[in-house]
Amino acid sequence: SLLPPEEYRKLVRRASSYASFQLSEGVRPSQYYVGRPVVCLTILLVCTVMLVLEMWVNDWKFEDFRVNPTFGPSVQTLLTLGAKRTDLILEYGQWYRLIAPVFLHGGIIHYAFNMLGLYSIGFPLERQFGSLAIGYIFMLSGVMGTVMSAIFSPRSVGIGASGGIFGIFGSAWAELFQNWSLYHGEAWKSLLQLTFATVLNLMLGLMPFLDNFAHLGGFLTGILCGLGVLVSSRYTRYGELKQRKCYQISLQVLSVIVTPLFITVAIFVLYFGVGEGNKASEWCVWCDYLSCVPFPPGDKPWWTCDPCMDAGLRGTNLPNGTTLLVCPDEREVLAPTPNRLDDDSLLALCHVHCL
C-alpha cells in the first residue's frame, strides 16, 4: 500500500542513505542481511574443539606459568598438533604447518581474547558482507601470518589463530575507511573501538607462544583484502544505487595489485631468504622484542622469553654415551647423555650447550 504523502516525504528526508536509515531507525534494510555468520560460527567451533584436543593431548595439565602464561599446553603438544616451526616446514616438507596453526591457541587466555574479537568484529562483518568475503579474509590472513612468523621467527614454535583474527581486525579498519561516509557521527566511535581492540591484542602478543609477527602479517593481509571486498553500496534518497567514489575504486585496484604481490614476495622470501647463512630474521636484529617481552621488568618476571623454552628442542641418544642436541638456531651439538631424556633435561642441556 502507498504511504500518505506527508509520511512519504518524512521517510525520504530521513533515508538519505541506507546507513542513516540504520542509525535513525535502529534497523538495517533487508539488503544488508546476507544470512547467518556461518564462517565465524565454524571458526569458533573448530578452535574450541582444537583447544580441548590440545589439553587432552597434554594430559589435561597446564604448562608452567613461567613457560606458558596463557594457561595452555606444552611446546611439544603444540608441535604434535601442527604448530609452526620453520625447519619442519622447509626441511621436512610439512607444509600443513602453514595452515594448522590457524586453528590452534596457546591457552585459555589466548583463546578467550581471540574469540571475543571474532564475536565483536567478525560476526557483524560477516552478516553485512557475507560468508565468502570473511572466509577469504580469515584463511588468507591466517596463512600469511604463519608465513611472516616463519620468516622472522624461524626458530620458535608458533600458533597462528591470531593471524586470522588480526586479519579480521585489519579488514575492519579497511571497511571503516572505505565506507567512512556511511558512518556519519559513528565513524570516530568505531575508530576508537578498533584502536583499543588492536592495541590490546598486540600487547597480548608480547607473551610467549603468542606471535606478533603472525599478528602483524595477518593484520596487513586483512587490510589489503578488506580494501578490495568490504565496500558497501550507497543509495540516493530515492533508493537509486550511487556510483562508488574515486578513492574507493582506487583502493580496490590497489588491493587487487598489492595483495598477490605481497603473497608472492613473502613465499619467495620464505623459500630463499630463510636458510643456512641467509636468515631473514637477521635483517631486523631487534624484531624479537616485537614478539616476546619478559614482564614485569626485574629479577622475577612472571614469564621469560627463553629461546630454549619455545623452540621445541630435539635430542637423540647416541651409542657412545652422548646426546645429539639440536639447538634453537639449528646447530647440532654433542652433550653428555642425561639419566632421562625428557623436556626438563633437554632444557638444561640447551642452557649449557646452546646459549
Side-chain angles (χ1 to χ4, degrees):
S1 61
L2 296 175
L3 292 174
E6 184 61 30
E7 292 189 21
Y8 176 77
R9 284 193 291 271
K10 289 181 180 179
L11 180 61
V12 167
R13 285 195 298 269
R14 296 170 65 184
S16 58
S17 72
Y18 279 156
S20 64
F21 184 86
Q22 171 196 343
L23 294 174
S24 61
E25 298 291 329
V27 297
R28 289 177 178 235
S30 60
Q31 288 88 337
Y32 276 82
Y33 287 110
V34 293
R36 297 181 182 275
V38 177
V39 168
C40 288
L41 287 171
T42 303
I43 294 169
L44 177 62
L45 176 61
V46 174
C47 288
T48 302
V49 170
M50 291 306 299
L51 181 64
V52 173
L53 182 60
E54 290 175 27
M55 299 311 302
W56 177 71
V57 174
N58 210 56
D59 294 328
W60 304 106
K61 298 176 182 178
F62 293 125
E63 188 72 349
D64 183 86
F65 185 81
R66 286 174 57 83
V67 178
N68 185 353
T70 66
F71 297 102
S74 65
V75 174
Q76 193 56 49
T77 293
L78 294 173
L79 280 173
T80 300
L81 294 176
K84 175 235 84 186
R85 200 175 69 194
T86 305
D87 65 301
L88 298 178
I89 296 172
L90 297 180
E91 297 176 19
Y92 295 90
Q94 297 178 4
W95 289 97
Y96 66 89
R97 294 185 183 274
L98 290 176
I99 301 175
V102 175
F103 301 102
L104 295 175
H105 285 87
I108 293 176
I109 295 178
H110 188 199
Y111 167 85
F113 274 96
N114 273 349
M115 295 304 101
L116 178 62
L118 180 69
Y119 177 78
S120 60
I121 297 178
F123 276 60
L125 283 179
E126 185 174 355
R127 288 192 181 100
Q128 182 172 348
F129 293 100
S131 298
L132 184 61
I134 298 305
Y136 157 68
I137 291 170
F138 177 83
M139 286 305 304
L140 186 58
S141 298
V143 172
M144 288 305 298
T146 306
V147 169
M148 296 299 287
S149 174
I151 292 173
F152 287 100
S153 187
R155 295 188 294 270
S156 67
V157 172
I159 38 160
S162 299
I165 301 299
F166 259 83
I168 293 178
F169 285 164
S171 70
W173 281 88
E175 189 273 336
L176 176 63
F177 292 129
Q178 279 284 40
N179 306 308
W180 185 273
S181 62
L182 296 181
Y183 278 84
H184 296 277
E186 298 291 309
W188 290 104
K189 178 182 176 181
S190 298
L191 183 64
L192 290 175
Q193 291 173 339
L194 281 175
T195 301
F196 175 77
T198 304
V199 171
L200 177 61
N201 280 273
L202 282 174
M203 291 176 63
L204 285 175
L206 300 178
M207 302 170 73
F209 296 162
L210 311 189
D211 194 338
N212 260 345
F213 294 112
H215 293 174
L216 295 172
F219 186 74
L220 179 58
T221 306
I223 290 178
L224 292 174
C225 294
L227 290 175
V229 299
L230 302 186
V231 183
S232 293
S233 299
R234 298 179 305 117
Y235 295 84
T236 67
R237 64 179 59 203
Y238 302 108
E240 298 173 348
L241 182 65
K242 288 184 177 181
Q243 290 186 347
R244 290 179 177 174
K245 297 184 177 181
C246 290
Y247 82 88
Q248 291 178 313
I249 297 174
S250 299
L251 290 176
Q252 284 186 296
V253 172
L254 180 69
S255 171
V256 171
I257 295 174
V258 176
T259 301
L261 181 63
F262 173 60
I263 295 171
T264 302
V265 171
I267 296 297
F268 179 85
V269 172
L270 178 61
Y271 257 113
F272 302 105
V274 183
E276 189 63 33
N278 186 30
K279 298 186 184 301
S281 56
E282 295 177 357
W283 303 343
C284 181
V285 295
W286 52 268
C287 280
D288 286 343
Y289 295 105
L290 290 176
S291 191
C292 186
V293 174
F295 183 85
D299 297 332
K300 295 182 179 180
W302 295 344
W303 64 79
T304 63
C305 299
D306 188 341
C308 289
M309 287 185 176
D310 64 355
L313 298 171
R314 292 165 289 157
T316 304
N317 286 337
L318 302 179
N320 61 1
T322 60
T323 295
L324 180 64
L325 177 67
V326 181
C327 296
D329 59 1
E330 296 305 310
R331 287 184 296 116
E332 295 183 348
V333 299
L334 292 175
T337 299
N339 295 330
R340 185 175 63 177
L341 193 63
D342 56 14
D343 289 343
D344 291 336
S345 60
L346 284 175
L347 186 61
L349 291 176
C350 178
H351 287 156
V352 173
H353 298 280
C354 295
L355 300 183

